[in-house]
Amino acid sequence: MLGAEAARRAACPQEVSVSVVPRGRGRPASRRVLALADDLSGAAETGAALRRPSRLVLAPADETHQGGTARTDHGARTAYAARTAYAARTAARTVAREQAGAARALVVDLDSRSLPPEQAAAALRTALDAWWDGEQTVFKKADSQLRGNLPAETAAFAEGARAVVIAPALPAQGRTVRGGVVHLDGVPLHRTEAWRAEPRPAPRSVAVALAGLPTEAVPLGAVRAGPRALARVLSAAAERGHHPVVDAESDADLDAVAAAALLLGRDFRLLGSAGLAAALGRTPEPSAAEPRPAPPPAPPSERRPLLFVVGTAEPHAVAQIAQLAAYGARHVQLTPAELEDPGAVRPLALGPDAVTVVSIDGGQGVRPSAAPTLAAALARTVADAAGGADLVLTGGETARRVLDALGVRELTPLAEIHPGAVHALAPDGRSVVTRPGSHGGRDSLRTIAAALRPAPVPAPAPGPPPPPSAVSEPNPPNPPHSARQFSPQHESPSHNGPPHDGPPQHSPPQDTPVPSPVAPSGDTT
């Protein structure tokens, strides 16, 4: 009889009598959060999504990133070990500052997306040793399309945890998980072109992406049974030595996942996209009488240049740049040959109140393997001109390399301008907007420019309209701001009407070429 009962319970995990009282240390999960991300745009997304006072720390850049390539020789590994040891030695002071300060979330950019897997795992372990104080809820930001060093980092993240609850869905961007398979707008990930810049095919499921880690699928039915019922399912999976991979198709599903994991306590860690971070942010803090109001934005900088650095090679970046140029921005294209030869790059001059966008000319194609090197070269090129400018940086690799070149070591996230585009402040008071390369509709850059400036971007003199090919990418306009921090009159008109490419009387300046199509570079999040 006992054997039959055990078999019945194994077959029906939802009926297992499992207490949701936290185990291990016996105390519930804290609403203070330590979040780890593998690139800067993902870290900024997480900081904004958590909806509490946050501090974003740029972990010391690995020496192997110098020159934009990830080296594995002994000298690079020795330098990396020295840097991570330094981070560990300063951990106690860092944690003490966080406990004494107002920040309820500490977000760390590991800058590990392009590292070799073993170094990425080491960076994550070191960050946990350095910044986890034993009380925070621990969250690992994962790419919603399963890119990066996901297997190695997840295995390292699972060390010392009873289980990792894995939920990579990002419903706001049409990225859902059903049957353990990531779908993009209803199409399984492995049947899309999302991994076209990756050196291997897209995984057929989350379990395949995490090969070597014991996982267990949790269907939508269990998710929608409510947080307490779901907590019992998650706990039962952990009892079997499995890490639950949870289906989700809506923000409400992710809310249930976050609530269930918090019921189970700190021994259960969370891994997912910014969608799961937002669900964690929507969970009320135990001592909070009412939700914390969003922080006010910094006042617009007077006579400060605005510099866009577009490091992503997503095809729709071409249309985004064309829209910004049509509203008066100056567009500077740099060829890969120019970036590889610093002496060939013409100096950038940014006048007061000027809006400038710099991108890589991919008309002749850009090899994906060259993307990190080009991102580092692009950062060095714009660093001198960017010294006093507000910044908009697209693509996580590019964003991090630019801030490294400027010596920026931390940011304070304020709010999202549109999903994925996060407005933050640097210690010197400048605005920094980061955005994953794969996010944003045709009007993304123009919407960001309008949000950062009290007056519209100046329009150029009338001229012939741009070629249709420059503005016809089939991407939807951006949805309304998720946090109403910026005056509605500065939003893109397309928020209140059908998609369009701007007033027909405006066109790109005559000395600004229409952007050329760019081959995939992989600098997307």
Side-chain angles (χ1 to χ4, degrees), residues 237-267:
E239 289 290 336
R240 291 187 286 273
H242 296 160
H243 300 281
V245 174
V246 189
D247 284 358
E249 293 185 332
S250 68
D251 286 342
D253 294 337
L254 293 175
D255 289 344
V257 175
L262 290 173
L263 283 172
L264 292 167
R266 294 169 313 186
D267 289 344

Side-chain angles (χ1 to χ4, degrees), residues 249-449:
E249 293 185 332
S250 68
D251 286 342
D253 294 337
L254 293 175
D255 289 344
V257 175
L262 290 173
L263 283 172
L264 292 167
R266 294 169 313 186
D267 289 344
F268 281 74
R269 295 175 179 172
L270 289 158
L271 183 146
S273 71
L276 185 58
L280 188 58
R282 289 189 292 268
T283 304
E285 298 203 40
S287 60
E290 57 185 57
R292 177 184 68 86
S301 302
E302 294 297 331
R303 302 191 62 78
R304 186 192 288 269
L306 178 58
L307 176 61
F308 288 74
V309 184
V310 179
T312 179
E314 286 290 314
H316 62 267
V318 174
Q320 293 173 350
I321 293 172
Q323 284 232 347
L324 188 61
Y327 277 76
R330 174 188 173 217
H331 181 205
V332 178
Q333 288 181 303
L334 301 174
T335 66
E338 286 179 308
L339 291 171
E340 291 166 1
D341 179 9
V345 178
R346 54 193 181 278
L348 295 175
L350 306 181
D353 292 334
V355 179
T356 304
V357 56
V358 179
S359 68
I360 299 174
D361 181 359
Q364 301 302 314
V366 177
R367 290 177 293 104
S369 60
T373 300
L374 291 177
L378 182 62
R380 290 193 298 270
T381 299
V382 303
D384 289 341
D390 289 333
L391 301 172
V392 180
L393 311 171
T394 74
E397 178 85 12
T398 297
R400 179 58 192 261
R401 299 286 80 77
V402 170
L403 294 185
D404 283 346
L406 293 173
V408 176
R409 306 311 311 157
E410 66 178 72
L411 297 170
T412 301
L414 297 178
E416 283 190 317
I417 296 173
H418 67 66
V422 177
H423 180 200
L425 283 184
D428 62 4
R430 81 172 76 212
S431 286
V432 177
V433 176
T434 59
R435 198 208 70 191
S438 60
H439 284 42
R442 289 187 301 266
D443 59 352
S444 172
L445 301 184
R446 181 159 56 92
T447 299
I448 294 168

Side-chain angles (χ1 to χ4, degrees), residues 121-156:
L124 189 142
R125 293 187 188 99
T126 299
L128 282 173
D129 289 343
W131 283 293
W132 187 48
D133 64 7
E135 297 292 332
Q136 305 123 306
T137 296
V138 187
F139 174 83
K140 172 66 175 69
K141 164 68 169 62
D143 182 74
S144 60
Q145 299 180 56
L146 309 180
R147 294 171 297 192
N149 286 301
L150 188 61
E153 290 187 343
T154 304

Side-chain angles (χ1 to χ4, degrees), residues 483-508:
R484 290 287 177 182
Q485 303 260 340
F486 306 104
S487 177
Q489 66 264 30
H490 304 317
E491 294 181 14
S492 165
S494 64
H495 292 316
N496 299 314
H500 67 285
D501 293 316
Q505 68 269 25
H506 295 318
S507 64

Side-chain angles (χ1 to χ4, degrees), residues 33 38 178 213 285 346 502:
V33 178
D38 69 354
R178 178 180 280 272
L213 193 74
E285 298 203 40
R346 54 193 181 278

